[in-house]
């Protein structure tokens, strides 16, 4: 099937219906493996057992940024190519992105208290991730405020593109400013600095979180298409009742 | 498994992550049920979209 065929919501619904059980099963299998590896991973020589928090905190942080990246690509699809599924994809990704960002912030605070002696500091990394969370809430509020989905999509797309400026700020905040947060130790030019006994569970958990996002995003996109169909049918019903 | 002196923080972090994952799955599942029910009710009332009417050649329901 050519990729362009997926622009048709009906074809997307049919294909996603076939794919969803496979993605859900793969997600469950990846989480089972990831949690087993996380539980059996050795303690870090400095952090002790609190390194286990990294196995949920880091994938959540990657997905917090990844969801906004998906929304940014979708925003281009809405504004430039007017792709029929672009605003559906953006709207479905926003709540998931907000949830992963909340997970990143909460698990980070629970790691920070025993390791740094504080839940929170107003440094570049933590503040820019908090700004990302607030931007997710802003986009969600915008979708709810504007009744017409296509108008809401254009407004949200503009806000998403503006908000994308925050992504490199989050990534490089630990290099640009003095911060309590450690610098990148996995996604860096010189390769990971983490020992394989801790890197393997981290990457398996990251795969599990990625599969979870893909599964939930597909399901949420299907819901959004159905919501729009309900809206259209209600409008047609009201239109007919007026004649 | 010995989680050391900070076991409460580790378990709280995993508990919070699990709650958020459960909330996301529940949101998607409940929303799906709600939309599917709304679509089924409208179709039972004979309301169809214009695209469906074109495909099926029907003129039933409120769509005109």
């Amino acid at each position: 099937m050519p990729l362009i065929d997926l622009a048709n919501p009906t074809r997307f619904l049919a294909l996603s219906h076939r794919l969803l059980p496979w993605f859900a099963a793969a997600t469950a299998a990846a989480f089972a493996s990831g949690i087993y590896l996380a539980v059996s991973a050795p303690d870090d020589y400095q952090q002790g057992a609190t390194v286990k928090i990294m196995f949920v905190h880091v994938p959540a942080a990657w997905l917090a940024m990844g969801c906004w990246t998906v929304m940014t690509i979708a925003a281009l699809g809405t504004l430039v190519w007017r792709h029929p599924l672009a605003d559906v994809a953006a709207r479905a990704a926003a709540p998931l992105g907000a949830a992963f960002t909340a997970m990143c912030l909460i698990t980070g605070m629970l790691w920070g208290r025993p390791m740094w002696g504080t839940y929170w500091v107003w440094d570049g990394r933590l503040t820019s991730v908090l700004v990302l969370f607030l931007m997710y809430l802003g986009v969600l509020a915008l979708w709810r405020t504007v009744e017409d989905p296509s108008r809401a999509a254009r407004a949200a797309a503009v806000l998403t593109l503006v908000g994308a400026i925050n992504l490199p700020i989050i990534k490089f905040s630990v290099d640009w400013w003095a911060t309590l947060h450690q610098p990148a130790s996995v996604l860096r030019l010189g390769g990971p600095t983490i020992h394989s006994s801790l890197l393997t569970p981290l990457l398996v958990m990251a795969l599990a979180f990625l599969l979870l996002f893909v599964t939930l995003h597909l399901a949420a996109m299907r819901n959004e298409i159905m919501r729009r169909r309900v809206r259209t049918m209600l409008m047609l019903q009201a239109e007919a009742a007026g004649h | 498994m010995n989680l050391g002196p900070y076991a409460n923080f580790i378990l709280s972090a995993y508990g919070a992550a699990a709650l958020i994952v459960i909330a996301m799955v529940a949101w998607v599942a409940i929303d799906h049920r709600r939309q599917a029910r709304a679509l089924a009710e409208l179709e039972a009332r004979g309301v169809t979209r214009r695209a469906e009417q074109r495909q099926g050649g029907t003129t039933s329901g409120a769509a005109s």
Side-chain angles (χ1 to χ4, degrees), chain A residues 34-43 48-53 55, chain B residues 1-8 10-11 14:
Chain A
I35 290 169
Y36 171 76
L37 290 170
V39 167
S40 52
D43 289 355
T50 53
V51 73
K52 293 187 194 304
I53 296 178
F55 302 141
Chain B
M1 182 175 54
N2 179 18
L3 292 177
Y6 304 118
N8 286 345
I10 298 165
L11 294 173
Y14 276 79

Side-chain angles (χ1 to χ4, degrees), chain A residues 46-225:
Chain A
Q46 282 183 318
Q47 301 176 44
T50 53
V51 73
K52 293 187 194 304
I53 296 178
M54 291 298 109
F55 302 141
V56 288
H57 171 73
V58 174
W62 286 344
L63 275 174
M65 295 172 70
C67 286
W68 198 275
T69 306
V70 167
M71 287 165 58
T72 303
I73 295 166
L76 289 173
T78 297
L79 294 174
V80 180
W81 299 291
R82 297 186 183 276
H83 192 294
L85 286 179
D87 39 314
V88 169
R91 186 164 190 179
L96 301 175
F100 284 119
T101 311
M103 189 189 296
C104 167
L105 288 168
I106 293 167
T107 55
M109 287 192 294
L110 288 166
W111 181 87
R113 182 67 183 87
M115 292 296 104
W116 293 341
T118 179
Y119 286 105
W120 187 264
V121 282
W122 291 99
D123 75 350
R125 171 59 66 87
L126 277 68
T127 306
S128 56
V129 174
L130 180 64
V131 168
L132 178 68
F133 181 64
L134 295 175
M135 288 190 320
Y136 273 121
L137 297 186
V139 167
L140 287 170
L142 193 56
W143 276 108
R144 283 183 169 269
T145 308
V146 183
E147 196 183 345
D148 177 17
S150 54
R151 279 186 60 219
R154 286 193 293 276
V158 172
L159 181 58
T160 302
L161 288 177
V162 173
I165 296 166
N166 194 35
L167 295 181
I169 294 176
I170 294 172
K171 167 72 181 156
F172 296 110
S173 56
V174 287
D175 302 320
W176 291 343
W177 298 295
T179 166
L180 265 182
H181 199 284
Q182 61 268 51
S185 48
V186 180
L187 302 174
R188 57 192 289 280
L189 284 176
T193 56
I194 303 177
H195 190 265
S196 60
S197 60
L198 297 174
L199 184 62
T200 303
L202 175 61
L203 293 180
V204 174
M205 284 295 276
L207 176 68
F209 272 88
L210 178 64
L211 286 168
L212 175 70
F213 167 69
V214 172
T215 306
L216 291 177
H217 192 221
L218 279 179
M221 283 179 71
R222 289 171 56 79
N223 292 350
E224 184 58 29
I225 291 169

Side-chain angles (χ1 to χ4, degrees), chain A residues 39 49-50 52 55 95-96 99-100 103 107 110 113-114 119 219 223 226-227 229-230 233-234 236-237 239-240, chain B residues 1 3 6 9-10 12-14 16-17 20 24 27-28 31-32 35-36 38-39 42 45 47-50 62:
Chain A
V39 167
T50 53
K52 293 187 194 304
F55 302 141
L96 301 175
F100 284 119
M103 189 189 296
T107 55
L110 288 166
R113 182 67 183 87
Y119 286 105
N223 292 350
M226 289 163 73
R227 187 177 355 269
R229 288 189 171 178
V230 168
M233 289 161 82
L234 286 172
L236 287 170
Q237 190 183 32
E239 190 181 298
Chain B
M1 182 175 54
L3 292 177
Y6 304 118
F9 291 97
I10 298 165
S12 300
Y14 276 79
I20 290 170
M24 283 193 285
W27 165 65
V28 167
D31 194 26
H32 176 77
Q35 301 312 321
L39 268 179
L42 284 163
R45 271 190 262 156
V47 184
T48 53
R49 293 178 303 125
R50 288 195 176 106

